[in-house]
Amino acid sequence: MYKQTFRKLAKRLMAYIPSQDKQDARHTIEDILYTTDMWKQAETIAITIPREQELDTHQIINKAWKEGKKVAIPKCYPKQDHDMKFYEYTNRLELENVYLDLYEPKTDDVRYIAPSQIDLLFVPGLLFDQQGYRIGYGGGYYDRYLPNFHQTTISLAMEEQLVNSLPSDEFDQPVDYIITNQKLLTPYKERL
C-alpha cells in the first residue's frame, strides 16, 4: 500500500519537473557517470529506453556505442512470471512499442545477453533512498532479475527523486550506486 502511494506521488513529481530542468540534470549526471571507473571499465552496459517523463538515456547509449561498448536493453515477459531478459541493441529499427509506452527489442532481430555478460546494469526507478532501495514502476521485473545479477548496478536520478528512506521488503534489491545531478552515492558501501 505504501509503495503505491510513493509511486503515485513520484509519477506526479516527474510530470511537473520542467523538461529543461530534466535536461540540465541529465547533462550533469552524464558528466559524473563518464568519469567513473565503473563506466570506463564496462564493456557491456544494460539500460532502458526512457519513457517520456524519465531522464533521457539516449545520449548514454550513443556514448557507449562511440566508445565501443555493447549495449543491451530489456524485454519484459508479463505472462511468463514477470521474467525479464536483455538483448543487444544496435539501432532503433530493432525496437517495438509495447504496453505502457515502453520500447523493447524485437527478439527475433537481436542477440540475447546473459546476466554474466553485463558489466554495468542501469536500474530505473521513480524514487531512491540513501540505502540504494527504490520505488520502481510496480512490475517487479528488476527485483526478480537482480538476485541472479552479480556485477555492478547503478541508478540515475534527479535530486528531487532522492529521499531519506523508502519502504522495502525481502524481495527488494538495492543498487550499488546512485548518481544524481549533485553527487555520486555509494549506498552499497554504507550497507557493509
Side-chain angles (χ1 to χ4, degrees), residues 6-116:
F6 275 100
R7 191 171 291 119
K8 184 183 287 185
L9 292 172
K11 285 180 180 178
R12 196 173 297 155
L13 167 73
M14 291 304 289
Y16 285 105
I17 295 174
S19 59
Q20 185 61 51
D21 290 357
K22 288 180 189 174
Q23 187 174 335
D24 292 344
R26 178 183 57 83
H27 288 301
T28 304
I29 289 167
E30 288 172 5
D31 289 345
I32 295 169
L33 171 66
Y34 301 147
T35 64
T36 65
D37 287 340
M38 67 185 121
W39 173 265
K40 292 175 185 175
Q41 295 169 5
E43 294 179 15
T44 301
I45 68 163
I47 195 166
T48 57
I49 302 296
R51 294 186 238 190
E52 185 178 329
Q53 294 179 356
E54 296 176 316
L55 289 175
D56 191 351
T57 58
H58 289 99
Q59 294 308 313
I60 294 171
I61 292 168
N62 290 334
K63 175 87 166 166
W65 285 336
K66 285 179 189 170
E67 293 184 5
K69 299 181 190 299
K70 191 177 291 182
V71 176
I73 59 171
K75 183 163 186 71
C76 298
Y77 297 92
K79 294 180 182 174
Q80 296 174 17
D81 197 30
H82 287 87
D83 192 22
M84 180 175 70
K85 295 181 180 175
F86 283 86
Y87 295 89
E88 187 172 5
Y89 175 51
T90 60
N91 69 70
R92 284 197 65 80
L93 297 176
E94 298 165 349
L95 299 177
E96 62 182 343
N97 190 310
V98 294
Y99 62 93
L100 299 176
D101 199 33
L102 287 171
Y103 283 90
E104 293 185 344
K106 301 176 196 173
T107 53
D108 7 345
D109 297 341
V110 290
R111 189 170 68 83
Y112 170 71
I113 304 290
S116 62

Side-chain angles (χ1 to χ4, degrees), residues 129-143:
D129 73 12
Q130 305 289 333
Q131 293 75 42
Y133 289 99
R134 67 190 181 87
I135 296 289
Y137 290 89
Y141 293 98
Y142 280 86
D143 288 325

